[in-house]
Amino acid sequence: VRRNTVRQRRVLKPSVHLIDALPYVFRAYYALPSSIKDPAGRQSNAVVGFANFLFRYIADEKPTHAAVCFDKSLTNCFRNKLYPDYKSNRGLPNAELKGQIERCRKLAAALGLQCFDDKRYEADDLIGSFARPLSSAGHRCVVVTC
């Protein structure tokens, strides 16, 4: 007896790479020499280090779907309202680093990566918010942080 069997074909949805940018920006800022400048003479060590990370990651992983999340809520995250001392032991980025963070965001966007930030939520909150529905929809989520 031969049965007709219907095989359900599982359609593989693309992996989505969700990158937490600031750990890589901070690491580059503090690890590379401040003597690295752009043609306009601005300090660019964080930008160069972040660019190297992104180029290497894209070359190695070849993501077809990727987003880069930035922390814009360094002082007004919803957690600060719940716990006023949240991250009170951390200093805010100086003006030099703030400028480089914005240039890193522009770089990621210029590479075709979707960039996200929010005044109330940190990058890891955004990543979690994206990962849950994407995973439920059948995507494999790759969280990239250090």
Side-chain angles (χ1 to χ4, degrees):
V1 174
R2 188 174 175 178
R3 286 193 205 155
N4 287 334
T5 58
V6 177
R7 288 187 185 181
Q8 200 172 32
R9 215 173 173 189
R10 186 174 176 203
V11 177
L12 296 177
K13 294 188 177 180
S15 294
V16 179
H17 298 249
L18 303 169
I19 302 169
D20 187 353
L22 281 196
Y24 297 99
V25 174
F26 282 128
R27 183 168 68 178
Y29 182 78
Y30 291 106
L32 297 177
S34 60
S35 60
I36 298 173
K37 309 279 185 196
D38 68 8
R42 298 177 298 182
Q43 184 177 330
S44 298
N45 51 334
V47 178
V48 168
F50 186 64
N52 286 338
F53 156 72
L54 285 178
F55 292 144
R56 190 174 330 110
Y57 187 80
I58 291 168
D60 291 349
E61 299 299 323
K62 298 171 183 47
T64 58
H65 295 69
V68 182
C69 295
F70 289 84
D71 289 309
K72 197 176 206 175
S73 63
L74 295 175
T75 58
N76 55 351
C77 173
F78 76 96
R79 288 184 185 91
N80 293 102
K81 288 178 180 42
L82 297 173
Y83 179 63
D85 288 337
Y86 179 68
K87 292 189 179 180
S88 62
N89 62 333
R90 297 184 188 180
L92 293 174
N94 61 33
E96 183 61 53
L97 180 52
K98 280 184 186 178
Q100 289 195 64
I101 291 169
E102 184 54 35
R103 292 187 347 238
C104 287
R105 189 182 202 290
K106 289 178 181 177
L107 168 72
L111 291 174
L113 300 169
Q114 295 296 312
C115 295
F116 297 93
D117 61 33
D118 189 273
K119 289 182 181 178
R120 291 204 48 215
Y121 299 98
E122 295 180 347
D124 56 343
D125 299 314
L126 297 175
I127 289 169
S129 296
F130 295 148
R132 184 175 207 114
L134 287 166
S135 295
S136 295
H139 293 274
R140 177 176 163 257
C141 291
V142 180
V143 176
V144 183
T145 190
C146 60

